[in-house]
Amino acid sequence: MTWNIQPDRPVYLQLIEQLELALVTGEYPPGARMPAVRELAAQAGVNPNTMQRALQELEAKGLVNTQRTAGRTVTQDAEMLAQLRGRMAQTQVAAFWENMKKLGLSGEEIVSLIHRQAGEE
């Protein structure tokens, strides 16, 4: 997993977002065992306590489960992961739309731009 930690926002929030992305994209598939806290912290270049805090938040959301003998595993609830993916996509669309509006584009121009881009792929 490639980590991208920026200095302008709380690190644990960035860890949560990046771990959620890894879950919805299947980098850590449903039911898979997550790497240990220290391993993830070393990969991300952060304090293990900060990584622990992020993982606890994911656990509170039900996205990962902790079992004493098995460590942390990704939820097998496909619907929960699909809902998270939908919320993440909606957030990206809203940010994109707002940025296009700031450029002075109308709704029609934005939609036309999207159709053109989709046609090129």
Side-chain angles (χ1 to χ4, degrees), residues 3-11 14-15 18 44-46:
W3 299 92
N4 182 16
I5 307 299
Q6 301 297 317
D8 60 337
R9 296 182 49 238
V11 172
Q14 295 179 67
L15 295 174
Q18 292 177 41
V46 300

Side-chain angles (χ1 to χ4, degrees), residues 37-55:
V37 172
R38 290 192 183 281
E39 182 180 341
L40 285 171
Q43 291 172 3
V46 300
N47 186 296
N49 292 331
T50 306
M51 183 60 74
Q52 176 69 20
R53 182 176 179 190
L55 289 167

